[in-house]
Amino acid sequence: MKFATRKSACRDGELLIVSRDLSRAVSAHDIAPTLLDALERWDSVAPRLAARYEDLNAGHALSDFAFDPRTCAAPLPRSPQWCDASAFLNHGRLMERAFNTEPIPDFDTIPVMYQGASDDFLGPTDDVPLPDEAHGIDFEGEFGVITGAVPMAVDARAALGHIRLLVQLNDWSLRALGPREMRTGFGFLQAKPSTSFAPVAVTPDELGDAWHEGRVKLALHVEWNGAWFGAPRGDEMNFDFGTLVAHAARTRRLSAGTIVGSGTVSNESREAGSACIAERRVIEMLDRGGAQTAFMRFDDRVTMSARDGNGRAPFGTIDQCVRRAT
């Protein structure tokens, strides 16, 4: 199944079912008014949602309409919890080499994860309001999962069974603010503004073979101001999503609607490009002795879409401009 959330007077929007080719949609309000409600009652509402999804794809849905991502909020405009990992070790190792920092203890065996703000996610075409270009504005292309209720101390294999939906996201970062917050030992706060999401959340089966061993095996195409920036693949994710969910649930239960991110998608091959500016700058430092690429400016645009081998983008596209906050 594929879902989106249409903006409405309700803070959590209106749940839509979206066709497999992303061309049509139909409201699911009478089954579950919001995606969070559907996740909290998944076992009871999923069969009815699936039946309507099949009707939509067969052209039999009543009151369907053309799907317009511009009307969409994030699939979950807010969620009980947002945890982001650093599951692509190539990204972390590049940072360590560039800045000559001590390796993170157990980096190869225990996932690194922080808990971010989840009260105000951005939709796929929302402007991104930020206060100051000097903060080092950066995008970070990632994949993520949305869980049902997860029991405490679940193991990694069982955790995969609690994943309800897959998402594509942009975990915005303010690079000038991050180092100080990391040195405090308390993690990110000001350095992590609101995260953006592609319009469509999909059930794992929708990806077919591209969802395998708890990884999204698609290329994440990133363009900055219309120029190609990178297309790293999710295949090289060192910690799979089952491991990440189990890590988050080691000492506590997770509520339905918890989102867990992969961290910046990163590949060892330089030909893949990057999914964030910081990584490109690090590569420039290592290869050329200094960073040459500046961070984003107001009115810059970034687009991101995960694509399969036929060019299909199952999550739709993030297409946003950075604006001066007023």
Side-chain angles (χ1 to χ4, degrees), residues 28 36 57 80 115 160 169 198 213 270 295 325:
L36 182 58
N57 287 308
Q115 188 175 45
L160 287 172
L169 60 103
E213 297 179 334
R270 300 284 177 85
F295 290 112

Side-chain angles (χ1 to χ4, degrees), residues 245-290:
V245 171
H247 178 79
R250 183 182 179 189
T251 60
R252 56 180 169 165
R253 298 174 294 174
L254 305 182
S255 300
T258 292
I259 306 173
V260 178
S262 67
T264 307
V265 180
S266 179
N267 294 171
E268 289 190 22
S269 170
R270 300 284 177 85
E271 293 181 358
S274 298
C276 72
I277 300 171
E279 183 171 293
R280 175 181 281 190
R281 285 168 57 88
V282 164
I283 292 171
E284 291 169 347
M285 292 169 65
L286 295 171
D287 291 352
R288 306 179 190 179

Side-chain angles (χ1 to χ4, degrees), residues 71-314:
T71 68
C72 290
L76 281 176
R78 54 181 174 171
S79 75
Q81 185 167 217
W82 156 233
C83 297
D84 198 22
S86 184
F88 291 84
L89 300 187
N90 180 67
H91 179 74
R93 289 170 179 149
L94 281 172
M95 297 297 179
E96 288 174 356
R97 287 178 58 196
F99 297 106
N100 196 29
T101 57
E102 290 293 323
I104 297 172
D106 305 312
F107 186 59
D108 292 355
T109 56
I110 300 176
V112 175
M113 185 176 290
Y114 79 92
Q115 188 175 45
S118 60
D119 61 319
D120 187 30
F121 294 135
L122 298 176
T125 63
D126 290 344
D127 285 343
V128 183
L130 294 170
D132 194 338
E133 289 177 345
H135 289 163
I137 302 168
D138 197 0
F139 48 80
E140 288 194 63
E142 305 186 16
F143 296 112
V145 299
I146 305 178
T147 73
V150 182
M152 182 171 60
V154 67
D155 66 41
R157 181 177 294 276
L160 287 172
H162 295 284
I163 292 172
R164 299 288 178 255
L165 299 168
L166 312 178
V167 291
Q168 175 200 313
L169 60 103
N170 181 358
D171 182 39
W172 290 96
S173 291
L174 301 177
R175 298 298 186 181
L177 303 181
R180 179 197 169 276
E181 292 191 326
M182 287 188 287
R183 286 194 300 270
T184 68
F186 274 75
F188 296 120
L189 181 66
Q190 296 172 348
K192 288 294 185 179
S194 297
T195 301
S196 304
F197 287 78
V200 178
V202 309
T203 50
D205 61 289
E206 288 292 330
L207 295 191
D209 292 341
W211 172 250
H212 183 62
E213 297 179 334
R215 295 167 174 85
V216 177
K217 297 194 171 185
L218 298 174
L220 184 57
H221 291 254
V222 180
E223 293 185 0
W224 179 12
N225 291 331
W228 182 88
F229 196 84
R233 296 185 58 85
D235 307 51
E236 293 186 24
M237 188 174 171
N238 297 84
F239 297 106
D240 72 279
F241 276 113
T243 299
L244 297 184
V245 171
H247 178 79
R250 183 182 179 189
T251 60
R252 56 180 169 165
R253 298 174 294 174
L254 305 182
S255 300
T258 292
I259 306 173
V260 178
S262 67
T264 307
V265 180
S266 179
N267 294 171
E268 289 190 22
S269 170
R270 300 284 177 85
E271 293 181 358
S274 298
C276 72
I277 300 171
E279 183 171 293
R280 175 181 281 190
R281 285 168 57 88
V282 164
I283 292 171
E284 291 169 347
M285 292 169 65
L286 295 171
D287 291 352
R288 306 179 190 179
Q292 299 178 356
T293 302
F295 290 112
M296 298 185 78
R297 306 290 299 273
F298 293 136
D299 301 326
D300 278 5
R301 178 183 296 273
V302 63
T303 61
M304 297 181 179
S305 60
R307 303 177 198 168
D308 63 19
N310 295 312
R312 292 184 291 257

